Amino acid sequence: MLVSPDPKVRDDQAYSAAARWIGEGQLDEVLENLGDRAVDRFTHPEIQARAFAPLVLRCVLARAVAAPGAVPRAAAERWYASFAAWYPTERDTRGWDDSLGWLHAVAHGADAAAAFAQALPGRRAELLELCARRMTAAADYRYVQLEDARLARAIGRILLVPGLSAEQATGWLGVVAKALEAGGYGPVPPWAFNTFATLQSLHLHLIRGLAEGGIPSHAAVVAEEVATVLRLPYRWLA
């Protein structure tokens, strides 16, 4: 049901039930199996299957954090490797399809990235770079279904995990700066639009903070670095 092309079956029935049961601990005995099944779908031929896999993975990881010992660390590391290979390379990044309903591979992947930061805090710097690679990836689709905000929220949540140095908190912006180096005269390509939209959203998240967690400890320096990148297209910024 989680790979169904019918959004009523996939979203309203299968995912809603899975998320509730996982969160309540009713599926603790099969959590590792659920995670394995989810990451196997990153190579599924149908986009709705690939796009909903990270949502299930997010639920499993959140439960693993809430119930220590429910998932072996080796399993979480195995899932991270599969997720890291899929997230920046997914080509179908549409938020919505009139037939399939919500797809949101970028937004759902962002939710999973934030969950990985909680389950595997040692991967925080890598997860930030992964988000940077996602926003700068070649794309035909411009974010129009709040994908930029979901990705910005995920970056904010990763930055909130304690223990990041200022260098780690800002280092991922080097990926963005390098991607923009070749920019010049002409229309803005979709990937660059997506990058600028995400950085604008992130700046707002850093200034205002998140309802759950507040403002990251390195928010000021990250926001200033983000503003520096945004001055490339927005030369009028102070």
Side-chain angles (χ1 to χ4, degrees):
M1 294 171 70
L2 283 165
V3 304
S4 173
D6 184 341
K8 290 186 179 297
V9 172
R10 187 182 67 250
D11 296 31
D12 298 344
Q13 299 175 26
Y15 174 68
S16 295
R20 183 175 68 252
W21 293 338
I22 293 170
E24 292 173 350
Q26 296 187 45
L27 301 178
D28 282 359
E29 292 185 2
V30 293
L31 273 185
E32 185 173 358
N33 179 260
L34 286 171
D36 287 338
R37 293 282 296 276
V39 299
D40 282 347
R41 289 180 180 150
F42 287 141
T43 57
H44 196 284
E46 298 180 22
I47 178 55
Q48 77 278 0
R50 300 194 303 274
F52 269 71
L55 273 189
V56 176
L57 199 55
R58 176 194 65 81
C59 294
V60 171
L61 290 166
R63 180 58 187 167
V65 171
V71 171
R73 181 182 178 85
E77 291 285 2
R78 183 170 70 246
W79 301 337
Y80 173 76
S82 296
F83 173 73
W86 166 77
Y87 191 40
T89 61
E90 175 59 58
R91 293 304 301 264
D92 192 339
T93 55
R94 292 172 295 157
W96 171 266
D97 178 84
D98 288 340
S99 174
L100 297 172
W102 289 110
L103 296 174
H104 255 171
V106 171
H108 294 170
D111 293 348
F116 270 116
Q118 293 291 328
L120 299 173
R123 298 285 188 182
R124 289 164 299 179
E126 294 176 40
L127 284 160
L128 289 170
E129 290 197 7
L130 200 62
C131 291
R133 289 170 55 203
R134 176 63 269 173
M135 74 176 77
T136 58
D140 299 321
Y141 173 82
R142 285 174 40 152
Y143 296 163
V144 295
Q145 299 294 345
L146 299 181
E147 292 91 351
D148 55 304
R150 291 279 286 277
L151 188 50
R153 180 182 70 168
I155 293 172
R157 290 179 63 194
I158 296 169
L159 290 171
L160 278 166
V161 178
L164 275 177
S165 67
E167 183 178 359
Q168 290 174 319
T170 58
W172 61 276
L173 285 163
V175 174
V176 177
K178 184 175 182 180
L180 295 172
E181 281 179 355
Y185 181 79
V188 178
W191 70 264
F193 176 91
N194 294 342
T195 299
F196 297 143
T198 302
L199 293 180
Q200 288 180 76
S201 185
L202 176 60
H203 198 277
L204 175 63
H205 282 67
L206 292 170
I207 298 301
R208 294 291 300 177
L210 299 179
E212 295 183 3
I215 297 176
S217 59
H218 298 298
V221 66
V222 177
E224 185 54 42
E225 292 293 329
V226 166
T228 297
V229 175
L230 286 173
R231 288 188 185 97
L232 292 173
Y234 310 146
R235 298 181 180 88
W236 53 88
L237 285 180

